[in-house]
Amino acid sequence: WHEIIMEPILDTLTQSTRPQRRPSQRVIQAIDQFCRQKEWAMNVGDEKGMHHVVNPATVLELGTYCGYSTVRIASLLPPTPIARQIIAWAGLQDKVQLVEEASGDWIPKMRTEFGVETFDLVFLDHWKDRYLPDTKLLEDCGLLRKGSVLLADNVIFPGTPEYLEYVRSSPQYESQYFQSHLEYTKVEDGLEKSVYLD
Ligand SMILES: Cc1ncccc1-c1cc(O)c2nc[nH]c(=O)c2c1
Ligand SMILES: [Mg+2]
């Protein structure tokens, strides 16, 4: 459902803003033209190509050289999730690690998988019943430091009562509510900002 909702967003983007990326076939054509007309290079090329395989999902490439075959192979992979396309369209893919797994499974792996020491900011905007358990998990994994900010969306609507109770009553947090409205509506909602005091 979310991918269906997000597709028009990407379509709007691709029709109204300058791309931060080049369609892969134009990249391949440009490299083939250069290597055919100007300077030979050891790419697999446009004749041997990659049409011998169909729909790979997991690929190991040994020997990347200039990335030519990487681009060819990656263009055969299943479509990229919309969020990843939108982030790339904004040219921010090098700043973002997109993890498509459950938060409760990945928070304990942040240090080993991504070398994270502590987070300066955690924006909570996922399943409302995960706000509190994930906050406790972040504390238990030592991923918050003095001054880390938790910024939580939807604390009024759809609402996260257990989370609010916790951050507002815990001596470990200095919490403040910023009243606003549910996005694009006149329904009350707001953000709760909670600073971890350690
Ligand atoms: C989807 C929806 N319908 C009616 C009222 C509110 C919502 C709503 C609004 C949000 O900002 C959300 N943020 C993160 N995750 C959500 O599930 C979510 C749901
Ligand atoms: Mg939200």
Side-chain angles (χ1 to χ4, degrees), residues 32-191:
D32 283 331
Q33 185 177 359
F34 177 82
C35 295
R36 198 177 285 286
Q37 294 173 3
K38 297 229 174 36
E39 192 167 335
W40 184 92
M42 59 179 183
N43 302 315
V44 71
D46 51 1
E47 187 183 342
K48 285 183 283 182
M50 282 287 155
H51 36 273
H52 313 293
V53 294
V54 284
N55 303 329
T58 310
V59 178
L60 168 63
E61 176 186 58
L62 301 174
T64 297
Y65 187 50
C66 72
Y68 173 93
S69 43
T70 315
V71 171
R72 270 196 174 277
I73 295 168
S75 68
L76 300 173
L77 294 173
T80 308
I82 301 288
R84 200 181 293 276
Q85 292 183 60
I86 289 177
I87 293 164
W89 196 265
L92 296 171
Q93 65 282 3
D94 297 341
K95 292 183 177 179
V96 175
Q97 286 277 7
L98 186 58
V99 176
E100 300 167 67
E101 309 278 346
S103 52
D105 297 337
W106 264 81
I107 286 171
K109 296 193 283 188
M110 282 295 160
R111 188 160 285 120
T112 52
E113 296 297 320
F114 298 122
V116 170
E117 274 308 308
T118 56
F119 288 106
D120 301 327
L121 168 66
V122 179
F123 179 52
L124 296 97
D125 195 23
H126 57 335
W127 299 116
K128 306 312 159 199
D129 61 0
R130 287 301 312 173
Y131 281 34
L132 184 51
D134 284 346
T135 296
K136 289 182 174 175
L137 203 46
L138 286 162
E139 291 170 10
D140 297 345
C141 295
L143 289 167
L144 300 179
R145 55 138 175 97
K146 185 174 174 53
S148 291
V149 174
L150 304 187
L151 194 59
D153 189 26
N154 309 119
V155 294
I156 303 301
F157 194 90
T160 59
E162 299 81 10
Y163 171 80
L164 272 189
E165 164 62 26
Y166 180 73
V167 289
R168 289 177 175 175
S169 60
S170 164
Q172 286 185 294
Y173 293 96
E174 184 67 45
S175 257
Q176 190 179 359
Y177 173 60
F178 295 93
Q179 182 171 345
S180 181
H181 294 94
L182 177 68
E183 51 270 25
Y184 321 123
T185 75
K186 297 199 181 316
V187 174
E188 183 188 345
D189 187 22
L191 294 176

